[in-house]
Amino acid sequence: MADQPPPLQEDPLMEKFHHWSLPSEKEVTKDGLHARGQWASKAEFLLAVAGQIIGLGNVWRFPYLCYRNGGGVFFIPYLLFLVLCGIPLFLLETSLGQYTSLGGVSAWRTICPLFGGVGYASQVMILHGCVYYIVILAWALVYLCYSFQAELPWSHCNNTWNTNACFPFDQHNLTSNVSSLPENTTSPVMEFWEREVLHLSSSLDQLGPISWMLALCLAIIWIVCYFCVWKGVKSTGKVVYLTATFPYVMLFVLLVRGATLPGATKGIIYYLNPNHTRLADPQVWMDAGTQIFFSYGIGLGSLTALGSYNKYNNDCYKDSFLLCLLNSGTSFVAGFAIFSVLGFMSEEQRVDISTVAQSGPGLAFIVYPRAVAMMPLPQLWSVCFFLMIIMLGLDTQFVSLEALMTSVTDLYPHLVRRGHRRELLLLFICVICFLFGLVMVTPGGLYVFQIYDQFSCSGASLLLLSIFQSVAIGWIYGADRFSDNIADMTGRRPLSFFELCWKYLTPIVCIATFLFSLVCWSPLNLGKGVEAPGWATALGWILTFSSISLLPIWAIYALATTPGTLPQRFRRLCSPSLALHHSPTNTYISSMPLNEKQKGPISNTIQDHVT
């Protein structure tokens, strides 16, 4: 019979101890391993997190969800999820990484071994996200290349791909030819998007051949992303100085331009005026919750990875509030920039604003190009705008990849952190994700993209993962203990409200939203009257369970391989441990409880024991 774990009579993390300064990136450990690394300054951490959470989810996904869910009514569930779920979980993940100095997988295996599957599930979701999220950047690169033409191709109907239904909708034509508009009139920007960029098919069953133009753009984006990540935080910390700040300049310019357009007031009113009847639609609540998790990077392990490169006494509590405020504020302002142009377009076409643009991922590629086409020097603004889109997406993409690499290197430091093995592993991951992403650069690729977006990294998967995170910290590890950890690092305890959220409010809200969506579930609408077939929906749920299933799989594996009686196994796996390793017989062992932890770097001990 295995020895029983030490009783947790005293909080193992209450004892304050002197922490360390991790070796610089240039140093090598005595075993010949490359040092793990650390942020060179606090600014690098803030900009890296800002670059991760402030991205396409703010300027593309958030306005799109507002548009799809009836405008301003979306703010009600959004703010509710922000207060009850977003900020508490953001603080939880960032603090967890900073305290353990470990990536997503090792941090969860250290703090609550039974819930180590949370870390593994998050890495699978990162892989799903890497496959489809970067496709948006390939679309943006196509627009960027076309922006260097003498006349923007989406500003007129004289292109080879335009149909007889194309109408430019400028003010002159609107006043002189409004009575002679052809039936089912479309705009040149819509036809450029659907007929030239996507070559959009009529259904998901018609995937068609690969668009080599899009495939080339996708490959270029992957190459750029690889070289942003290949040196770890040493390169990432420098790149974010540009990629995290430049987008705000362009967003401000587009906001000012949009506010001066005729009809902008109409769009802003639609944006702010809530339709309360939409609150009965479960999809509105589902979208609000997943938008919080998606744009904040919650559940993906990226916040834990970024926080793990902080100094131990960094004020992560204050940082979490500032970054959350910045994130949601950016989403709110970006909505004004989008809806002011929607109002202008509805006035141009003499239709209701709800029918101005086809709802779907292409909203930013329809509304924003139309906005820049009306500015002086449209080519200049178009280049700047799509560079902004690419920078926003690259931030999120390479931080997600960095989180994945951090988890792998923390699990197997003796295997990965030698020579150029990290760079080769990163190259392998990028190539595999690129090959899987080729299906989304076909004529039916947009529909596949929407299935990935709906099921893989959002929706049920993020909600369920957030529930398990809250339970692990709030009930297994202990919300009060975790608050003590934060106080030990920052010098002040979080508000009692956060303990209430971790134990009760966050899991209750997430469970209620998840069940509500299941009861009122309806087939996914892919846009343009295309409804997802049954096989596509089944594929979507497989994507969801490919990550979530790792939670029970890991728990069963850990229970089956831990020595002792069943109660002893539960006690061991619910007790935090400093180092986790596998014995020569491949038996899972919680080898060093945190109440016996050494006064040294947790990450260094993990290196010696986890592989």
Side-chain angles (χ1 to χ4, degrees), residues 203-205 447 451 455 521 523-526 530-540:
S203 70
L204 179 60
D205 297 320
Y447 306 129
I451 292 174
F455 289 98
W521 184 84
L524 175 62
N525 188 345
L526 301 177
V530 178
E531 187 174 284
W535 65 266
T537 301
L539 176 62

Side-chain angles (χ1 to χ4, degrees), residues 462-609:
L462 289 180
L463 286 170
L464 288 176
L465 200 57
S466 299
I467 293 169
F468 282 104
Q469 283 187 347
S470 301
V471 171
I473 293 297
W475 293 95
I476 307 300
Y477 182 75
D480 184 69
R481 172 191 292 176
F482 195 68
S483 293
D484 291 336
N485 302 155
I486 297 176
D488 188 51
M489 293 186 292
T490 65
R492 52 180 170 177
R493 285 180 62 88
L495 297 173
S496 299
F497 172 76
F498 288 104
E499 296 181 24
L500 185 64
C501 287
W502 294 329
K503 293 188 68 174
Y504 303 106
L505 299 181
T506 298
I508 288 175
V509 171
C510 291
I511 291 173
T513 303
F514 178 71
L515 294 178
F516 190 40
S517 66
L518 288 182
V519 171
C520 302
W521 184 84
S522 60
L524 175 62
N525 188 345
L526 301 177
K528 297 185 73 67
V530 178
E531 187 174 284
W535 65 266
T537 301
L539 176 62
W541 283 109
I542 290 176
L543 290 173
T544 297
F545 285 105
S546 67
S547 57
I548 295 301
S549 62
L550 295 179
L551 289 163
I553 289 175
W554 171 263
I556 293 172
Y557 167 75
L559 285 169
T561 56
T562 301
T565 64
L566 188 60
Q568 289 174 341
R569 297 178 187 185
F570 270 106
R571 290 190 60 191
R572 280 182 172 272
L573 294 173
C574 292
S575 302
S577 60
L578 180 58
L580 306 174
H581 71 278
H582 290 78
S583 70
T585 59
N586 202 33
T587 302
Y588 180 90
I589 299 177
S590 175
S591 60
M592 187 182 301
L594 274 176
N595 57 349
E596 297 177 358
K597 71 178 182 178
Q598 300 172 351
K599 312 269 187 196
I602 295 178
S603 57
N604 290 351
T605 308
I606 288 292
Q607 292 178 16
D608 298 332
H609 295 278

Side-chain angles (χ1 to χ4, degrees), residues 223-236:
I223 292 172
V224 173
C225 187
Y226 172 80
F227 284 106
C228 287
V229 180
W230 75 319
K231 291 299 182 183
V233 293
K234 182 167 62 175
S235 58
T236 301

Side-chain angles (χ1 to χ4, degrees), residues 409-463:
T409 53
D410 285 344
L411 279 172
Y412 309 105
H414 292 281
L415 180 64
V416 179
R417 283 162 57 178
R418 294 181 185 275
H420 298 286
R421 294 181 182 180
R422 183 188 186 278
E423 289 85 348
L424 292 175
L425 176 61
L426 177 62
L427 178 62
F428 175 77
I429 293 174
C430 290
V431 170
I432 294 299
C433 291
F434 166 75
L435 294 177
F436 275 101
L438 288 178
V439 71
M440 300 184 199
V441 295
T442 61
L446 179 64
Y447 306 129
V448 180
F449 174 92
Q450 289 181 284
I451 292 174
Y452 261 83
D453 182 55
Q454 180 71 20
F455 289 98
S456 63
C457 296
S458 56
S461 54
L462 289 180
L463 286 170

Side-chain angles (χ1 to χ4, degrees), residues 22 34 55 60 79 118 145 201 300 351 414 451 457 486 494 585 607:
L22 292 177
H34 294 293
W60 165 70
L79 291 176
V118 170
C145 294
S201 64
L300 300 178
V351 295
H414 292 281
I451 292 174
C457 296
I486 297 176
T585 59
Q607 292 178 16

Side-chain angles (χ1 to χ4, degrees), residues 143-173:
Y143 275 82
L144 178 64
C145 294
Y146 275 99
S147 299
F148 290 97
Q149 295 188 7
E151 186 177 10
L152 294 180
W154 56 81
S155 64
H156 61 85
C157 296
N158 300 323
N159 304 289
T160 57
W161 59 79
N162 291 129
T163 65
N164 294 331
C166 181
F167 191 79
F169 289 110
D170 58 40
Q171 291 296 329
H172 174 74
N173 288 334

